[in-house]
Amino acid sequence: MTAPTNTAAQHVADGETGLRVWRSALTLSIEQQHLCLDVQELHRLVMRGFRAPHTVTATRTPRPAGILFAARRSTPLRDPGTRRLSAGAPEKILVQSPQQPHWSHLLSAGALTAATTIPVRQHYNTGDIIEGRTFANPVAHDRRTGRNLSRRTAQECGEWLRGKLHQQGLDISPQRITMGEGQSVTGMHGDDPVKIILREMFMTGIVTDSDKFHALLAGGFGRAKAYGCGLLLTRPVE
C-alpha cells in the first residue's frame, strides 16, 4: 500500500518515510455538545475548520482526504429495556489533518471554548513494538443481504481489528487487545437516519511494514471515518 502524495505520510527531512500531521485539541461549548449528539452535526463542526469561515451549507460537507477525528464523550446512557449503551455528548475532539486548520471563527462564534493545534511527526521502523488506541466501528459485509452488520462480541471485534491492521502493517495478537462496550451514536444524513456502534479499542502490536503502517496512521482505517472512527493513536514500547 502506497500512501497518496497528498496525505501526511511523506518523506521527512532525514529521508525516511514517516508521519507528518497537524493535531488539534478542541473543547466544545455546552450548547455545541448538545447539538453534536447528532454525528452529522459533529462532522460538520470538524469540517468547518477546513473551509472559508463564512461558508454555510445545510448538506453534508465532503471530508477532505486525510482528516480524522475522535471524540471524548460524557457518560453514556443505558437503555433500561435493551440494556444497550447510547454514547454521551462529545465534550472534546482530537482532529488530525495533513494541512493546518483554522478554528478562530468557531471560537469567536462560541462553538468552541478552546482550541490548540500543534505539528506532529512520528516515525516507526519495521519490527518496532507499539501501543495503540482507537475508536472504531467494527462491521462486516454480509454478501447474502448486501448489508453491513456490526460485530457484537469481543471476540468478533478483536478478529475484525486484527484483520484490518494486519493488512496495513501491524500485527497484534488476541491477548493484546482490550476494548470497551459498544455505544451507539446517531444522526440524520438528509432524510436518512445514521446509526453507528462505536468501540474504544486498545492494543499492543509489532510493525511488520513501516510504509504501510505510516499510511495507516495518516489515513485511518475501517468505516465511519467521517463520524469519528478510524484514527489510530500510538506510542512506542521500549
Side-chain angles (χ1 to χ4, degrees), residues 49-60:
F50 301 91
R51 66 171 190 255
H54 302 296
T55 302
V56 178
T57 178
T59 61
R60 183 177 183 272

Side-chain angles (χ1 to χ4, degrees), residues 113-198:
T113 60
T116 303
T117 300
I118 61 171
V120 173
R121 291 190 179 189
Q122 287 183 319
H123 176 78
Y124 291 102
N125 295 308
T126 298
D128 285 351
I129 300 174
I130 64 96
E131 290 181 344
R133 175 188 180 190
T134 189
F135 285 95
N137 170 225
V139 295
H141 185 70
D142 188 330
R143 294 182 179 179
R144 295 173 301 173
T145 64
R147 299 173 58 194
N148 294 311
L149 303 178
S150 293
R151 305 293 82 189
R152 298 201 174 272
T153 69
Q155 180 178 348
E156 288 176 338
C157 293
E159 291 174 350
W160 174 88
L161 182 67
R162 290 183 66 211
K164 287 290 183 183
L165 299 188
H166 181 74
Q167 296 171 13
Q168 300 188 65
L170 184 66
D171 185 37
I172 52 180
S173 65
Q175 294 80 15
R176 305 310 300 268
I177 302 173
T178 58
M179 66 188 72
E181 189 174 352
Q183 301 179 26
S184 65
V185 293
T186 59
M188 293 297 296
H189 182 186
D191 295 328
D192 299 322
V194 175
K195 182 176 181 179
I196 298 163
I197 305 299
L198 289 178

Side-chain angles (χ1 to χ4, degrees), residues 26-30 32-33 36 42 71-75 88-93 111-114:
L26 312 178
T27 302
L28 280 64
S29 68
I30 297 298
Q32 196 67 43
Q33 290 177 33
C36 288
L42 181 60
R72 192 180 80 183
R73 296 173 175 272
S74 60
T75 304
E91 299 175 331
K92 296 180 181 291
I93 312 173
L112 303 178
T113 60

Side-chain angles (χ1 to χ4, degrees), residues 213-235:
F213 187 61
H214 291 139
L216 164 66
L217 296 179
F221 71 100
R223 294 179 177 271
K225 294 178 188 177
Y227 299 125
C229 297
L231 171 61
L232 179 61
L233 301 176
T234 62
R235 65 181 182 182

